[in-house]
């Protein structure tokens, strides 16, 4: 193979990946517009655009601006954040089954918020994100401690088992607390199932900074995550300090997962499915995996949210339920494949 052909191949590969990102952005934009138009009341696209940019005071304009716009933005942020958090967790643990939902991080964040609501009798919106971040951090640390128990480093299998056990325990505990407190159950029952209904700009503005900060911090970690996903020995051989990278990556996961749960509740499987789709498209280079995963996660949650509105119209089901319907078969297939290998 000549030097010219070797140089042409990386350029063509890079061009195809940029083209894929452009296509994913276009799909995301179309779905975002659809999210503004679709619901219990159908709004034609011209009226959506007029209500979005002109704000003429009509009913459709008010619906677009105050109800559907914050909801559509929340779907993009939550989907992108959970997907990037899942991709980072899979790189850190070298576990293809890792995600914020499966390793108990989402469940920990949800339990912390529910417990705080019950204890305090009600929380200001600004406190939701703080308690969710705390719960996500504690749950993540506990799963790692359980997976590290015994001899040797924590294996992917031990982490997956520890996460499954902790997730089941925390989810059961959250359900028990809600059943004991009917008022809190009425207040957060849709939220605990993973829902974007009723999200307004105030709650979005309080949760979005954590997710945006996490996404921003994930960018400089991408190259190091690629090395770390190949093993600690490889990372050390490249002169990388694995401990510092792991700590920084764990902080990013807490910001992303905690912010997403504070805004939309514990939505499962997005952080599992989107990173695998991203790696299928672009390989294992996390400089490409992370942006692809973010867009694919945003697409998944937006599609799920649109489906949640129209499936039982005029009633609505939580988007977390649809994500479970999509993600559970994928998880079963993935688990069977990995165990067989």
């Amino acid at each position: 193979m000549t030097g010219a052909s070797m140089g042409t191949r990386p350029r063509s590969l890079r061009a195809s990946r940029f083209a894929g990102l452009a296509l994913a952005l276009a799909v995301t934009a179309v779905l975002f517009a659809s999210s503004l138009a679709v619901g219990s009341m159908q709004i034609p696209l011209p009226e959506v655009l007029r209500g979005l940019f002109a704000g003429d005071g009509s009913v459709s304009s008010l619906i677009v601006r105050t109800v559907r716009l914050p909801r559509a933005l929340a779907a993009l942020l939550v989907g992108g954040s959970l997907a990037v958090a899942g991709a980072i967790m899979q790189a850190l643990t070298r576990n293809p089954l890792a995600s914020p939902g499966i390793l108990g991080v989402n469940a920990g964040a949800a339990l912390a918020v529910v417990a705080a609501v019950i204890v305090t009798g009600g929380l200001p919106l600004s406190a939701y994100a703080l308690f969710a971040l705390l719960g996500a951090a504690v749950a993540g640390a506990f799963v790692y401690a359980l997976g590290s128990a015994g001899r040797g480093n924590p294996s992917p299998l031990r982490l997956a088992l520890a996460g499954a056990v902790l997730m089941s325990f925390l989810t059961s505990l959250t359900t028990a607390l809600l059943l004991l407190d009917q008022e809190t159950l009425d207040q957060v029952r849709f939220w605990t199932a993973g829902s974007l209904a009723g999200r307004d700009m105030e709650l979005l503005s309080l949760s979005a900074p954590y997710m945006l900060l996490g996404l921003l911090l994930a960018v400089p970690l991408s190259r190091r995550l690629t090395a770390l996903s190949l093993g600690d020995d490889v990372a050390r051989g490249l002169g990388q300090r694995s401990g510092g990278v792991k700590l920084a990556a764990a902080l990013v996961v807490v910001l992303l997962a905690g912010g997403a749960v504070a805004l939309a509740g514990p939505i499962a499987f997005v952080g599992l499915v989107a990173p695998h789709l991203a790696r299928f498209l672009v390989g294992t280079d996390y400089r490409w995996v992370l942006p692809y995963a973010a867009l694919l996660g945003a697409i998944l949650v937006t599609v799920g949210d649109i489906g949640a509105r129209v499936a039982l119209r005029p009633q609505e089901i939580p988007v977390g339920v649809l994500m479970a319907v999509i993600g559970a078969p994928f998880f079963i297939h993935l688990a069977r494949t990995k165990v067989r290998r």
Side-chain angles (χ1 to χ4, degrees):
M1 184 179 293
T2 66
S5 62
M6 290 178 65
T8 302
R9 186 176 178 183
R11 283 198 295 270
S12 63
L13 181 61
R14 192 160 49 245
S16 66
R17 288 173 171 176
F18 275 118
L21 278 180
L23 178 61
L25 279 170
V27 172
T28 304
V30 170
L31 289 172
F32 180 76
S34 301
S35 181
L36 298 178
V38 173
S40 57
M41 175 183 174
Q42 295 289 107
I43 302 176
L45 189 57
E47 288 189 33
V48 168
L49 295 175
R50 187 164 54 249
L52 194 59
F53 296 107
D56 55 9
S58 63
V59 173
S60 59
S61 175
L62 288 174
I63 291 175
V64 168
R65 286 194 164 203
T66 63
V67 178
R68 293 187 183 171
L69 178 59
R71 181 169 183 166
L73 292 173
L76 296 181
L77 262 181
V78 168
S81 297
L82 290 175
V84 171
I88 293 174
M89 293 179 77
Q90 289 167 16
L92 282 179
T93 62
R94 297 187 296 283
N95 183 354
L97 303 180
S99 75
I102 293 170
L103 292 191
V105 175
N106 286 355
L111 175 62
V113 172
V114 169
V117 171
I118 292 175
V119 170
T120 62
L123 286 175
L125 292 177
S126 58
Y128 270 73
L130 295 176
F131 279 101
L133 292 173
L134 178 62
V138 172
F142 198 69
V143 166
Y144 191 82
L146 283 177
S148 303
R151 296 180 179 179
N153 294 323
S155 68
L157 179 59
R158 282 194 288 175
L159 285 172
L161 291 174
V165 170
L166 186 66
M167 179 186 65
S168 299
F169 173 72
L170 295 179
T171 302
S172 300
L173 189 56
T174 301
T175 303
L177 289 176
L178 290 173
L179 291 176
L180 292 173
D181 192 314
Q182 186 65 38
E183 183 179 350
T184 304
L185 174 61
D186 294 337
Q187 181 180 348
V188 301
R189 58 182 175 177
F190 250 57
W191 176 86
T192 55
S195 176
L196 295 168
R199 301 304 179 262
D200 55 21
M201 280 298 183
E202 183 182 4
L203 183 55
L204 181 63
S205 66
L206 292 170
S207 301
Y210 298 102
M211 291 181 279
L212 291 174
L213 178 60
L215 291 171
L216 186 63
L217 292 175
V219 174
L221 286 174
S222 57
R223 186 188 296 271
R224 293 175 174 84
L225 287 171
T226 302
L228 199 60
S229 67
L230 300 175
D232 290 340
D233 292 338
V234 174
R236 281 193 293 267
L238 295 173
Q240 181 172 292
R241 294 182 178 178
S242 300
V245 176
K246 289 180 178 180
L247 184 59
L251 173 63
V252 170
V253 169
V254 168
L255 288 170
L256 293 173
V261 171
L263 182 58
I267 299 177
F269 295 113
V270 179
L272 174 71
V273 176
H276 280 282
L277 293 177
R279 280 193 294 272
F280 175 77
L281 293 172
V282 297
T284 58
D285 187 343
Y286 272 76
R287 292 175 297 176
W288 293 99
V289 169
L290 293 187
Y292 267 81
L295 288 173
L296 291 169
I299 289 171
L300 277 173
V301 174
T302 303
V303 168
D305 187 44
I306 293 173
R309 295 184 227 174
V310 302
L312 297 176
R313 189 186 295 172
Q315 293 183 336
E316 181 176 315
I317 59 178
V319 64
V321 174
L322 283 186
M323 287 296 99
V325 171
I326 295 171
F330 183 87
F331 174 76
I332 294 171
H333 168 73
L334 188 63
R336 286 171 59 88
T337 301
K338 297 303 177 183
V339 168
R340 190 181 300 121
R341 288 179 182 176

